[in-house]
Amino acid sequence: MKFTFVTLFSNLVEGYFQDSILKRAIDKKILNIEYINPRDYSDNKHSKVDDTAVGGGAGMVMNPQPLFDCLDKLKKEDEEVHIVFLTPVAKPFVQNDAKRLSKKSHIAFVSGRYEGIDERVVEKYADEVFSIGDYILTGGELASLVICDAVSRNIEGVLGNSDSLSIESFETSLLEAPSFSKPKKYDALSVPSEYLKGNHSRIRSLKLALSESKTKFFRPEQLLKYRTRKSYEK
Ligand code: ADE
């Protein structure tokens, strides 16, 4: 899978791939990462990429010309490329999107800075537009990394153990049950005794009960979704 980051600030993104799981996936050639700086495509003699907003308003908006030119080139080089824009004004990114996008061959993330990107660029080039949550970041780079990470771990071979994918939070709409490592007792705190007894069916039902109570406490709307789905399955 290829990821292209279209950003004025590739330094903000590059560090994330220099360690751990995604670095290993790059070394194994499962992932291929490329950076494009729209400034390199600017027609302006000072390589300017932004301007004040037409019609007024605070801040600078990224001009269409550099982005039109670099996205045209990207599409010409690979007609399969799936272009994703990051903005708080969009649908929220969820786990199902991560799984769906992991089947693409090439995703390009277009990050805006300043007050955002000229809407004509989004209209012309976006295959999808995502927000990663109801808060405003200083730019789309962090959002693009969040999505890239969540997508990548669903690609075959990226995680060591593919079993760990199926029982995770959101795969069933429930939050995951708590996990414990060794030792079994630490600082006078024990892991739940049922986890120690080795009866796997009892451990499974305890984990399900813990999942349900965590979900009820933190994400009641997810529990409702889970119960509705279960009642349809009956
Ligand atoms: N850019 C700024 N804030 C954002 C958000 N919450 N999600 C995606 N892109 C953004």
Side-chain angles (χ1 to χ4, degrees):
M1 156 90 90
K2 182 168 174 180
F3 291 108
T4 300
F5 290 86
V6 179
T7 168
L8 295 168
F9 301 103
S10 63
N11 281 341
L12 295 178
V13 177
E14 279 171 40
Y16 196 66
F17 298 101
Q18 282 164 19
D19 223 327
S20 192
I21 293 172
L22 298 191
K23 175 181 190 297
R24 198 181 57 205
I26 293 167
D27 293 343
K28 287 203 280 181
K29 309 227 178 312
I30 300 170
L31 300 184
N32 172 14
I33 314 285
E34 160 190 87
Y35 302 94
I36 295 177
N37 189 338
R39 199 177 293 286
D40 296 339
Y41 290 79
S42 173
D43 280 349
N44 179 275
K45 63 175 184 244
H46 304 295
S47 301
K48 216 166 112 71
V49 288
D50 61 342
D51 216 323
T52 51
V54 176
M60 306 293 271
V61 178
M62 287 177 69
N63 298 131
Q65 178 274 317
L67 286 164
F68 266 57
D69 286 1
C70 78
L71 295 174
D72 270 344
K73 180 159 178 273
L74 194 64
K75 282 174 71 118
K76 230 174 252 151
E77 286 169 359
D78 180 3
E79 60 187 30
E80 300 272 293
V81 64
H82 190 74
I83 302 182
V84 172
F85 283 67
L86 296 315
T87 156
V89 188
K91 66 179 174 182
F93 177 76
V94 296
Q95 180 68 8
N96 261 345
D97 298 312
K99 287 171 70 172
R100 179 174 53 78
L101 292 177
S102 71
K103 308 284 182 272
K104 303 277 180 202
S105 60
H106 184 183
I107 298 175
F109 296 109
V110 186
S111 295
R113 282 260 142 188
Y114 321 119
E115 279 307 301
I117 293 175
D118 188 300
E119 190 69 13
R120 289 166 291 185
V121 184
V122 184
E123 286 288 320
K124 177 152 186 203
Y125 294 97
D127 291 306
E128 277 186 90
V129 188
F130 283 118
S131 162
I132 61 157
D134 293 341
Y135 39 79
I136 316 289
L137 302 166
T138 55
E141 285 78 4
L142 263 181
S144 66
L145 274 177
V146 165
I147 295 178
C148 177
D149 185 285
V151 170
S152 295
R153 59 195 298 292
N154 286 283
I155 298 169
E156 180 86 39
V158 169
L159 292 185
N161 176 6
S162 59
D163 285 352
S164 59
L165 281 177
S166 59
I167 50 159
E168 286 178 322
S169 295
F170 305 114
E171 294 293 328
T172 60
S173 309
L174 285 183
L175 301 185
E176 223 175 306
S179 309
F180 301 89
S181 73
K182 297 183 184 72
K184 293 168 186 170
K185 192 163 193 175
Y186 184 74
D187 198 21
L189 298 169
S190 284
V191 311
S193 58
E194 207 68 70
Y195 277 43
L196 304 173
K197 291 183 194 154
N199 181 332
H200 290 289
S201 110
R202 292 190 65 152
I203 294 174
R204 248 195 322 276
S205 43
L206 174 64
K207 283 191 165 178
L208 180 61
L210 291 172
S211 273
E212 288 184 354
S213 61
K214 283 231 173 214
T215 312
K216 186 172 180 186
F217 188 76
F218 289 116
R219 300 291 300 275
E221 82 291 354
Q222 288 285 129
L223 187 64
L224 199 65
K225 206 163 132 189
Y226 170 74
R227 291 199 168 143
T228 310
R229 171 147 13 113
K230 289 254 318 180
S231 72
Y232 276 119
E233 281 168 7
K234 274 184 193 154

